[in-house]
Amino acid sequence: MVSTEQPPRVPVPADTAPARRWRWWSAGRVAVLLGLLGVGYRLAMLLADLPPTNSDEAVSGLVAAHVAEGREFPLYFYGQYYMGALESYLAAPLFALAGPGLLALRLPNLALYALFLTVMWHLTRRLYRPWFATAVVGLLALGSDRTLKNQLIAGGGYPEMNPAGALLMLLAVSLGLGVTRRRRLAFAGFGLVAGLTLWDDWLVLPYVAAAGALLLAGGHRRRAGPLPLRGGSGLLLLRRGAGLFLLGRRDGGALLAGLAVGLLPVVAHNLTAEPAHRSLAAYRQLGGGTPGGWAERLHGGVLFGLPMGAGFCDPGRCAGWQLWWGVAAPLLLAVAALLAVRALRLGPADGRGRIRQGGRLALLVAAAVSLGAYAVSAAAGRTPVESARYLSCLLISLPALLWPLWAAATGRDRSLAWDGVLRLAGRGGLAAVAASGVVATGALIAEAPTLTRADQQRRDLAVALERLGVTHFYAEYWTCNPIVFATRERLVCAVIRDDLRPGWDRYPAYPQRVARADRVAYALPAGTPLSRRVADRLAATGVPVDRTAVPGYDVYLPAAPVRPPLR
């Protein structure tokens, strides 16, 4: 008979075991592929002159041009002494190499977007799971009209806020987990980025504060010994004497040194600027306007603002079905916060696990503070479409908001009892999020040819003015600066208000040059009340006026200079 006994297995030494087969679909490789698609999509939009530019971005370009030429080195944008000119300084080297232009102005923002994707993948991987991090990168690769405006337009603050806020969170989490080799360098980097954000734009301040609290909670010890965030004592920190003393002399010194360097632009400006232009005075002037009713602000700030700010809406509008995220996001935020707090209070006393839960909670608290501050503002009720940009930082918290859906869909969170209904709800929610982003991205691509019309009309206006021999003119705010920047200051403009008085001129030298010119035109949007009012006032002066029609504009050229105020 033939024996059926199996020979005993011989253990294979670890160093001679066959290597794991290479798989192209690993979480990291798929994330890189999705990230490249996101960067490529945005590069294609930039080459197509999208998103449309505006007057604020033109001012940023003018600052970059002046810096590249060595003419001026402003620390804040002209006329906005609360918004650091970081974007202009990033673009200045490209201007020096290739000359001023819209593409050169925006290319650094494309690099910042790529940095944002990279940081978000590492942050989400450390706080959650690798494949969830890849899914987050895939969602961030999509881009609606509002999202691309926030990420690519160099209008001040928005392209760099998300990379900075996410990087601060990543540094705080990494130091708490003890996975950072050069700790003092990481602490110095945290201080530097935090200081630069305080110079650049305070809109990201909730994330700076949340990351700082997490850093103080968990970054005071080396590798294996983060501060145990047990219950209320770990969250409040005050009971443990939290502060720079927890970090140690060297780590705390590195943090303070980096912060001091990052704040140098703020200090230099406040030491040299006029009292009315100093930081605190500038911030006191913000937030004006009469706020609408609570219903109006909650609708504009939450129900409409959340889907528009997240990139789930069509250009300039949200369909009724797209408002679902305005209801779902606050619910997900509450659920995710409860899960994180429960894990902190009832979970095992594992330092790394508590740092992860603390990082999740920090993202949620920062999102709640940002949303609350915007929802009670006047802008949420008065201008919800454009003001949705104030919620752009919430993309940093996207992993924390989506984690309950992912956990439900995959059944990876042991804090809940999963069943088939919960799995179906999680998968349906993730599918709805992905579908909303895809539809909004498709809407932008479909409407792209119509979105460049205003830019083309301004280019036609510049050509018409030069053909008429006009180099100085008056126009409304949103026309002036783009033409000055596009023509590299060959044409110079001064702003006129609706009441026919001098308007908001961001760079004082321009209205001074227009006031000295012998040949001055008025270029105003065609058919508007401002255009008709100027035409009537010019006719009342008795000065002969040549009128030229340009697509989208009325051009009035008096035979002799007639300057505002027109009475």
Side-chain angles (χ1 to χ4, degrees), residues 303-393:
L303 185 62
F304 178 89
L306 281 172
M308 175 61 77
F312 294 161
C313 292
D314 299 344
R317 63 192 183 279
C318 279
W321 68 270
Q322 292 172 318
L323 299 179
W324 74 273
W325 184 246
V327 177
L331 295 177
L332 290 173
L333 191 151
V335 171
L338 288 175
L339 292 176
V341 171
R342 182 188 181 198
L344 283 172
R345 294 182 63 88
L346 304 179
D350 171 63
R352 293 194 173 194
R354 292 185 176 277
I355 287 295
R356 291 190 177 93
Q357 297 297 336
R360 298 178 185 185
L361 192 60
L363 290 175
L364 295 166
V365 170
V369 172
S370 298
L371 178 60
Y374 173 63
V376 301
S377 69
R382 290 188 292 112
T383 56
V385 175
E386 284 302 317
S387 296
R389 67 185 185 273
Y390 296 134
L391 295 177
S392 62
C393 289

Side-chain angles (χ1 to χ4, degrees), residues 456-469:
Q456 184 59 50
Q457 289 178 345
R458 283 193 290 261
R459 287 192 289 267
D460 294 341
L461 174 61
V463 172
L465 290 173
E466 291 189 303
R467 187 173 61 247
L468 293 171

